[in-house]
Amino acid sequence: MPISEARKRANKKWNDMNMKTRYDRIQLVVPKGRKAEIQAAAEKQGQSVNGFIGRLIDRALAEQDGSAPERSAEPEREPEQGRGDL
């Protein structure tokens, strides 16, 4: 199902207002074929790729600190169709 023009405008408005001020971006490069494995693992757990990776990082950092993992903050919006998480 294609994204409506209204949804595109709403997504752009949200991005313009929030992404630069609330989030940092990290580019992740993985070997060919690994992206599909990561996507499948995230889907199996009912998570987005971003959420899946964020939670793994939270757990690793918590293990270093010896504390309980915090939940990663993900953008509070619906994902855009046709847009890859990686």
Side-chain angles (χ1 to χ4, degrees), residues 2-3 18 35 40 45-46 48 55 58 63-64 70 78 81:
I3 299 173
N18 293 288
K35 178 180 174 182
Q45 293 187 19
S48 68
R55 284 177 187 83
D58 287 344
E63 285 176 15
Q64 277 186 334
E70 295 180 23
E78 293 184 26
Q81 289 184 349

Side-chain angles (χ1 to χ4, degrees), residues 2-15 80-81:
I3 299 173
S4 70
E5 289 302 314
R7 170 52 77 188
K8 288 178 186 177
R9 285 191 304 273
N11 286 349
K12 182 180 179 347
K13 181 179 177 182
W14 190 95
N15 284 337
E80 299 172 29
Q81 289 184 349

Side-chain angles (χ1 to χ4, degrees), residues 30-58:
V30 296
K32 273 287 194 209
R34 191 69 174 185
K35 178 180 174 182
E37 292 176 32
I38 295 166
Q39 288 173 321
E43 188 175 305
K44 186 175 179 179
Q45 293 187 19
Q47 299 178 6
S48 68
V49 171
N50 191 67
F52 178 75
I53 292 170
R55 284 177 187 83
L56 290 174
I57 292 168
D58 287 344

